[in-house]
Amino acid sequence: MTTASATWLLARAHGRMLRHKLRFGLRENRLLSATVAGFLGLYSLAAYLLVARGLEFMMKLPLIGPLLTERLVFLLFFFFLVMLVISNATITGMSLFRRKDMEWQIALPLPPRSLVLWKTLEGMLLASWGLLLLSTPILLALAQSYKADAKFLLVVLPALLALVMIAANVSTWLLIILVRWSRRWMWKPLVLILVLLLVRTLPIWQSSVETFNSGDMSASLNQILKHTEICMHPLLPSSWVAETIQAAARGISERALFFNLVLLANALMSILITTRIASAFYYPAWNRIMSAAPGAGSKAKAAAPRPQSSAKNHWLRRMLGLDRASFALLVKEVRTFLREPVQWGQTAIIFGLLLLYSMNLRKLGYDLQSPFWITVVSHLNLLVCCLALSTLTTRFIYPQFSLEGQRLWILGLSPLPLHRVLALKLRLSASVLALVMVTLVVVSGFSLGLPGQRILFFSASILLMSYGLTSLALSLGALVPNFRESNPARIVSGFGGTVCLIASFVYIVGGIVLLLIPSWQNLRQDAVTLVRYNTQIELAALAGVALLTVVFGALPYFFAKRQTKNLEYLRHL
């Protein structure tokens, strides 16, 4: 059997499974499907209008408008490429090295390269549909701003599909190479290199801020464009997509066709390289993962008694006020998280970027002596933190209960009832996320020079929304479980994950609108100097957020807890 025929066989089998799932979902969850479709339609319309208005404003800037618009396109697709590589590596890694079905699929009379190729295509489909959904209204807005004809999308969409294909294959290369040759000692120099790079970037931030504050428009523009030159590197596939967009917008058909052919050639070449790498290195990499076991030294160390650790655990359990069974469950959750590099790796990246962003808010170049800009930046910072938190809760908290899978009956036989397990999961996840988010908000508040009253206001807000978003994601995951799937990306991609994302977005928008009321009242009273905020209005806004938290967090948790008490999950096993 050839590689193409084996891959096509796998694609047909999974395609039939997907069609049956879609038919079942549309037949059994019509209201849910209509809600999701309506939200996606509203999002597409809102994204198109907002991006179109922003591009229209930017294009009207004298002299620099077209230049900034062009650089923005290069920057946008560069970040799309990075996001695609990371997301594809995550999903494909779970499929190739963590799925239970790979243990019998690898034993089938199929070439390993066909398995790797299909898993790459499957990961590409799961990771890229969101990008296509995000980019379609943006492309329409770009076509309007450039006054392009109807052929614009027909020229640009093949380039975007080729970019998705290249990113999926590159992530598979990196994944197989990392699993095949990575060693534990390599992480220490890698962390050292990252720290040195971080220290190296700090003077760049400082010098650019001095230029921004000098009032020299040309120098400030040069500094902005200087830091985005990497996005225009001629060897990046994202640069080829941006060049295709620029050529199609200006009506240069020959140039657009050239870059489309370049992207197509590299996409086909990436598939060929994937098959070669899979043939040579996938089975040794998979065998290394499957045969990994702790050494004799580790076993001896584990077998030896550790009185200090036992005393430490006893002290920690008494401090948290937990019995032995509850503390054992918390230890299990923490160890599971630490043993999943996909989870703590992505979480560390997101929180690290947010920390750097929070520490450099005052260096953004705005006039932060103005109450208007302080209000805008502080509330946008809160919005960014909430959106990042909703991404983490939807991605990692929502599938927690479903990932218990067929082993849920073990928890049912434990001294802890299932509703107690749900409560402990909520307590652990929400407390850790709330602590981290409050720290970020406090750091950003000191960076902006906010008064203590405003820092407390934003800290209380993010504390409420942290518990609300975590409770919403965990409760919906418990109400709509999927015990037959072990890939969290697939669990999140289902109807329940989409509803969780929509509900989180609505909750965040409602909370931010309520929290804007005190600032709006303050700006109406005095637009020149900062005045003391009305404490009663701030408390009323926090009360409104607390009410939203009850609606979006406490009510779903109530229904999820009642369902776990009735042991409704046993019929899904």
Side-chain angles (χ1 to χ4, degrees):
M1 183 177 292
T2 63
T3 303
S5 60
T7 306
W8 177 244
L9 177 63
L10 291 171
R12 282 190 301 168
H14 287 82
R16 290 181 180 179
M17 294 168 59
L18 179 60
R19 286 197 300 270
H20 287 302
K21 288 182 179 179
L22 289 178
R23 290 174 183 173
F24 177 79
L26 293 175
R27 184 175 63 252
E28 300 294 332
N29 302 287
R30 295 180 180 179
L31 178 61
L32 184 59
S33 303
T35 303
V36 173
F39 177 80
L40 293 179
L42 290 175
Y43 160 78
S44 300
L45 179 62
Y48 168 75
L49 295 176
L50 291 175
V51 175
R53 290 292 298 272
L55 291 175
E56 181 183 358
F57 170 78
M58 189 175 297
M59 291 291 287
K60 290 182 179 179
L61 293 176
L63 299 178
I64 63 174
L67 180 61
L68 287 179
T69 303
E70 178 182 354
R71 189 61 59 90
L72 184 63
V73 173
F74 279 90
L75 190 66
L76 174 67
F77 284 94
F78 173 77
F79 282 109
F80 276 170
L81 176 63
V82 175
M83 290 168 55
L84 281 172
V85 171
I86 295 176
S87 59
N88 275 281
T90 302
I91 297 175
T92 307
M94 296 291 293
S95 299
L96 286 177
F97 299 106
R98 304 300 300 275
R99 293 291 304 277
K100 290 292 185 181
D101 56 359
M102 284 302 297
E103 296 182 3
W104 65 268
Q105 286 187 20
I106 200 71
L108 295 176
L110 297 174
R113 56 182 177 271
S114 62
L115 293 175
V116 174
L117 186 59
W118 164 244
K119 293 300 181 181
T120 302
L121 296 176
E122 185 183 32
M124 180 191 71
L125 294 175
L126 290 174
S128 61
W129 71 269
L131 172 66
L132 296 176
L133 181 66
L134 287 171
S135 58
T136 300
I138 296 176
L139 292 177
L140 292 174
L142 283 171
Q144 180 187 0
S145 63
Y146 282 115
K147 303 297 187 294
D149 54 14
K151 297 185 296 184
F152 179 80
L153 284 180
L154 297 178
V155 176
V156 174
L157 284 180
L160 192 59
L161 293 176
L163 177 68
V164 169
M165 178 66 70
I166 294 173
N169 285 279
V170 169
S171 64
T172 302
W173 307 345
L174 297 176
L175 183 66
I176 294 178
I177 292 173
L178 180 65
V179 174
R180 179 65 181 88
W181 284 289
S182 65
R183 297 295 184 271
R184 289 179 178 268
W185 61 266
M186 295 180 181
W187 294 105
K188 294 182 180 180
L190 181 60
V191 172
L192 180 61
I193 292 173
L194 292 177
V195 172
L196 293 177
L197 289 176
L198 177 61
V199 174
R200 178 68 180 85
T201 57
L202 293 179
I204 297 178
W205 279 96
Q206 297 173 0
S207 62
S208 61
V209 172
E210 293 175 359
T211 306
F212 290 151
N213 293 334
S214 64
D216 189 349
M217 185 64 182
S218 60
S220 300
L221 181 61
N222 290 332
Q223 286 290 337
I224 294 175
L225 298 181
K226 176 183 177 182
H227 295 307
T228 59
E229 287 179 353
I230 187 176
C231 305
M232 299 185 66
H233 197 281
L235 296 181
L236 288 175
S238 59
S239 298
W240 305 336
V241 177
E243 292 286 358
T244 304
I245 292 175
Q246 300 295 331
R250 294 181 173 88
I252 310 175
S253 303
E254 295 80 5
R255 186 174 178 84
L257 178 61
F258 170 76
F259 281 105
N260 263 313
L261 292 177
V262 170
L263 284 163
L264 177 61
N266 282 271
L268 296 176
M269 180 60 70
S270 66
I271 296 176
L272 180 60
I273 296 175
T274 300
T275 58
R276 298 297 183 184
I277 292 178
S279 300
F281 306 120
Y282 172 66
Y283 187 78
W286 180 84
N287 186 58
R288 183 188 176 198
I289 290 293
M290 294 297 106
S291 60
S298 300
K299 291 181 179 179
K301 186 183 296 185
R306 294 181 294 179
Q308 295 181 356
S309 178
S310 301
K312 181 180 179 180
N313 291 339
H314 179 71
W315 174 82
L316 185 60
R317 179 169 63 84
R318 294 189 61 182
M319 185 184 68
L320 295 176
L322 299 174
D323 54 12
R324 297 183 64 181
S326 301
F327 184 76
L329 179 65
L330 290 186
V331 172
K332 172 252 183 188
E333 294 291 333
V334 173
R335 289 180 176 177
T336 302
F337 177 78
L338 294 178
R339 290 170 182 172
E340 291 287 345
V342 173
Q343 292 193 23
W344 60 258
Q346 294 187 33
T347 305
I349 290 174
I350 292 177
F351 283 137
L353 292 176
L354 284 177
L355 181 60
L356 290 176
Y357 158 77
S358 302
M359 295 173 61
N360 291 277
L361 279 175
R362 183 161 285 276
K363 303 175 183 180
L364 292 177
Y366 295 101
D367 182 15
L368 293 182
Q369 301 301 323
S370 169
F372 173 77
W373 284 113
I374 291 179
T375 301
V376 169
V377 174
S378 59
H379 282 277
L380 285 179
N381 171 68
L382 181 64
L383 177 62
V384 168
C385 291
C386 291
L387 291 175
L389 181 61
S390 69
T391 302
L392 290 175
T393 53
T394 304
R395 178 63 179 83
F396 298 121
I397 304 300
Y398 172 80
Q400 274 192 6
F401 221 85
S402 297
L403 290 177
E404 299 294 345
Q406 305 294 323
R407 301 177 300 274
L408 187 65
W409 65 272
I410 300 177
L411 291 178
L413 294 177
S414 67
L416 294 174
L418 288 181
H419 67 273
R420 177 63 176 167
V421 173
L422 185 69
L424 288 173
K425 285 177 177 287
L426 175 63
R427 180 177 176 181
L428 175 64
S429 303
S431 300
V432 173
L433 289 176
L435 178 62
V436 175
M437 299 310 296
V438 169
T439 303
L440 290 174
V441 169
V442 171
V443 170
S444 61
F446 281 109
S447 179
L448 289 171
L450 296 178
Q453 180 182 352
R454 297 298 291 169
I455 295 178
L456 289 176
F457 174 74
F458 286 119
S459 300
S461 304
I462 197 65
L463 181 65
L464 289 172
M465 301 194 79
S466 297
Y467 274 89
L469 290 171
T470 306
S471 177
L472 175 64
L474 185 63
S475 301
L476 288 179
L479 288 171
V480 193
N482 183 5
F483 297 118
R484 299 182 179 180
E485 184 59 59
S486 60
N487 190 341
R490 289 186 175 182
I491 298 174
V492 174
S493 299
F495 286 109
T498 307
V499 171
C500 179
L501 185 63
I502 295 173
S504 299
F505 181 76
V506 174
Y507 172 53
I508 290 172
V509 171
I512 294 297
V513 170
L514 289 175
L515 296 174
L516 275 171
I517 296 177
S519 301
W520 175 254
Q521 293 292 330
N522 180 62
L523 290 176
R524 289 183 59 186
Q525 295 175 5
D526 193 336
V528 180
T529 59
L530 282 173
V531 297
R532 184 175 181 83
Y533 286 81
N534 192 326
T535 305
Q536 295 181 352
I537 299 179
E538 288 187 338
L539 292 177
L542 290 176
V545 175
L547 181 61
L548 278 179
T549 304
V550 171
V551 173
F552 285 90
L555 286 181
Y557 176 74
F558 170 77
F559 290 111
K561 187 175 181 179
R562 188 173 66 176
Q563 182 170 340
T564 55
K565 283 184 178 180
N566 295 333
L567 299 179
E568 291 288 337
Y569 295 104
L570 297 180
R571 64 187 179 91
H572 296 287
L573 298 180

XYZ file of all heavy atoms in Angstrom, residues 327-340 344 428 432:
150
model
N -6.853 16.229 50.040
C -5.481 16.651 49.772
C -4.824 15.740 48.736
O -4.063 16.198 47.879
C -4.674 16.639 51.069
C -3.270 17.148 50.908
C -3.021 18.510 50.782
C -2.195 16.272 50.869
C -1.737 18.980 50.620
C -0.906 16.740 50.706
C -0.675 18.099 50.592
N -5.134 14.450 48.784
C -4.584 13.530 47.784
C -5.084 13.880 46.383
O -4.340 13.793 45.397
C -4.960 12.096 48.138
N -6.344 14.287 46.279
C -6.873 14.689 44.972
C -6.180 15.943 44.464
O -5.853 16.048 43.269
C -8.384 14.916 45.078
C -9.064 15.356 43.780
C -8.978 14.270 42.717
C -10.523 15.741 44.028
N -5.937 16.906 45.347
C -5.225 18.116 44.930
C -3.805 17.790 44.475
O -3.316 18.355 43.480
C -5.193 19.131 46.077
C -6.518 19.808 46.444
C -6.273 20.881 47.497
C -7.181 20.415 45.223
N -3.135 16.907 45.189
C -1.791 16.499 44.786
C -1.825 15.833 43.412
O -0.965 16.069 42.560
C -1.179 15.559 45.840
C 0.129 14.973 45.343
C -0.947 16.310 47.143
N -2.837 15.022 43.189
C -2.994 14.372 41.875
C -3.182 15.403 40.776
O -2.596 15.303 39.681
C -4.163 13.404 41.940
C -4.576 12.796 40.607
C -5.901 13.374 40.141
C -6.384 12.749 38.857
N -7.576 13.431 38.310
N -3.992 16.443 41.010
C -4.220 17.476 40.003
C -2.930 18.248 39.713
O -2.616 18.544 38.544
C -5.310 18.437 40.479
C -6.687 17.821 40.612
C -7.281 17.459 39.262
O -6.922 18.092 38.253
O -8.106 16.523 39.213
N -2.180 18.583 40.745
C -0.936 19.327 40.555
C 0.080 18.495 39.792
O 0.748 18.991 38.859
C -0.378 19.775 41.922
C 1.001 20.405 41.754
C -1.319 20.773 42.586
N 0.225 17.228 40.154
C 1.193 16.375 39.459
C 0.792 16.145 38.005
O 1.648 16.094 37.115
C 1.323 15.046 40.196
C 2.036 15.166 41.541
C 2.135 13.821 42.235
N 2.893 13.922 43.489
C 3.080 12.914 44.335
N 2.550 11.718 44.058
N 3.774 13.084 45.433
N -0.501 16.014 37.759
C -0.963 15.853 36.378
C -0.620 17.078 35.544
O -0.195 16.971 34.389
C -2.481 15.609 36.355
O -2.783 14.447 37.132
C -2.974 15.413 34.936
N -0.795 18.259 36.135
C -0.463 19.491 35.418
C 1.039 19.593 35.146
O 1.458 19.958 34.040
C -0.931 20.692 36.238
C -0.581 22.028 35.636
C -1.315 22.543 34.584
C 0.496 22.767 36.124
C -0.989 23.766 34.028
C 0.826 23.982 35.575
C 0.080 24.487 34.521
N 1.857 19.254 36.148
C 3.302 19.361 35.972
C 3.838 18.326 34.992
O 4.900 18.544 34.383
C 4.002 19.203 37.324
C 3.734 20.313 38.344
C 4.444 20.018 39.659
C 4.182 21.672 37.811
N 3.150 17.213 34.830
C 3.600 16.181 33.895
C 3.137 16.433 32.464
O 3.427 15.631 31.582
C 3.087 14.813 34.363
C 3.769 14.323 35.632
C 3.061 13.103 36.196
N 3.684 12.659 37.441
C 3.185 11.718 38.234
N 2.040 11.129 37.892
N 3.800 11.368 39.344
N 2.410 17.524 32.251
C 1.926 17.854 30.916
C 2.661 19.104 30.427
O 2.252 20.222 30.730
C 0.413 18.115 30.942
C -0.421 16.886 31.222
C -0.452 15.942 30.037
O -0.073 16.362 28.923
O -0.856 14.785 30.223
N 1.596 23.379 30.989
C 2.378 24.398 31.701
C 3.243 25.211 30.753
O 3.588 26.363 31.054
C 3.206 23.781 32.825
C 4.221 22.745 32.446
C 4.101 21.400 32.588
C 5.512 22.962 31.887
N 5.231 20.765 32.148
C 6.123 21.691 31.717
C 6.235 24.091 31.519
C 7.398 21.545 31.191
C 7.510 23.940 30.993
C 8.077 22.674 30.831
N -8.997 24.715 43.433
C -7.581 24.762 43.078
C -7.342 25.650 41.864
O -6.499 26.558 41.898
C -7.086 23.340 42.792
C -5.640 23.224 42.289
C -4.663 23.707 43.345
C -5.335 21.783 41.873
N -5.491 29.524 42.015
C -4.193 29.761 41.384
C -4.303 30.827 40.303
O -3.488 31.761 40.223
C -3.643 28.442 40.805
C -2.379 28.706 40.000
C -3.363 27.454 41.921
